Amino acid sequence: MPAVNGPATDADLDTLLADIDAARSQGLAAIAAALSTDELAQVESGLFGRKSALGPIKQALGSLAPDQRAGVGRALNEAQQELRTAHAQASDELAAVARREQLQREWLDLTETPPGPERGHLHLVTQTTERLEDVFVGMGFTVSEGPQAETDWYNFEALNLPAAHPARSMWDTLYLDLGERTELGDGEGGEASNVLLRTHTSPVQIRVMEVQPPPIYTICPGRVFRRDTADASHMPVFHQLEGLVVDRGISFADLAGTLEEFTSAYFGRSISSRLRPSYFPFTEPSAEFDITCVICEGAGCQTCQRTGWIELGGCGMVHPNVLTNCGIDFEEWTGFAFGFGIDRLALMRHGIDDLRDMYSNDIRFLSQF
Ligand code: FA5
């Protein structure tokens, strides 16, 4: 391109216009040759700006006479505009291609059912619950269910835990704010502040005894909620299985025998159970029930802290106040109840170290069971 100093000759102007045309053609060719957005970005600095092929022509424009400047300026603007349009169009097309390729790469066929061991199955906790139900149904129990959102009455008061009872602190409770609503869906009582996520499955006992006259032989498996921080043996949402028997002449020996029968049916004959005195407001007398450590089979190991036993849950004879709250005559009927954590039971049975693993949704962990 010629250096133009002072009024340009016709030859100078022809050279400038030819340079503009050449820069335009080269620019369009470079745009067309770019095969990806990255390549187009590299081409960009050669098309626009001071270092572009048109940059020096723009600078030369200032030294032209006004009537000469108009013609060259128009040609320059048209060339720039054409390059911008071609660049924007190529940029859109290449971005669309890149997006199509990415979608192709990341495409997952969610309808596909992989063959063989890759097939999905029930979660370990569901499997465990179903197995436990089978064992108890085989022993003559029915299966009962209740709501997960409960009233204070069912979760505490009917279970002999009045508002000021110190044992309420055993269950860190999550209360529900129902706003304007003051009733649960089924129309049963419960001020908004009295509605909570059940902290145990024991309220299902009350619901069963309210509607079913004795004899009662039932289990109540289900999800429960506590304000516990998740750690290796605690979850804020976990599962319990409650057992309830009410009949004439039921004694503590029946409770012990039922738990022993269940333990060997579920864990095998090498595992047995024992009862230790404890306290629950809704049972009297109350006990904790332990089973032989499933890891060392009673020899003593780290899991059972060398005792040979691990705690499974709580149990006892149904408190007369609880029977009375459900309209059952405690002079005529007696009963026992027990409750244990399903998640911890699955943990013990399968030798899992950490409860949180069961809820991490890691397919490598879940596919083992
Ligand atoms: C109760 O909840 C009583 N309702 C059990 C009961 C029923 C006693 C009937 C007497 C008669 P407890 O708070 O101990 O008891 O809980 C029972 C079991 O739930 C525990 O033994 C444990 O296995 C399990 N558990 C408790 N908290 C958690 C938690 N945060 N994460 C996982 N499992 C838990």
Side-chain angles (χ1 to χ4, degrees), residues 208-222:
V208 171
M209 285 191 280
E210 270 181 349
V211 296
Q212 186 186 325
I216 298 169
Y217 290 79
T218 195
I219 53 157
C220 324

Side-chain angles (χ1 to χ4, degrees), residues 9 19 23 25 43 54 62-63 66 96 122-123 146 164 171 190 203 215 229 249-250 259 274 287 303 314 317 323 338:
T9 63
D19 285 349
S25 307
V43 167
L54 290 173
S63 56
L122 294 176
H123 188 273
W171 294 281
T229 306
I250 293 293
L259 290 177
R274 73 170 186 187
T303 306
M317 300 304 291
L323 294 173
F338 56 88

Side-chain angles (χ1 to χ4, degrees), residues 189-260:
E191 293 296 315
S193 60
N194 282 343
V195 181
L196 46 90
L197 292 176
R198 67 181 181 194
T199 54
H200 51 172
T201 40
S202 300
V204 190
Q205 285 186 31
I206 304 295
R207 289 183 176 274
V208 171
M209 285 191 280
E210 270 181 349
V211 296
Q212 186 186 325
I216 298 169
Y217 290 79
T218 195
I219 53 157
C220 324
R223 186 171 294 149
V224 300
F225 308 81
R226 289 186 195 180
R227 291 179 55 194
D228 281 342
T229 306
D231 64 22
S233 55
H234 292 83
M235 290 300 287
V237 180
F238 60 102
H239 303 79
Q240 286 189 343
L241 186 137
E242 191 88 4
L244 173 71
V245 167
V246 182
D247 206 341
R248 288 192 181 89
I250 293 293
S251 72
F252 205 84
D254 295 309
L255 167 61
T258 304
L259 290 177
E260 180 62 23

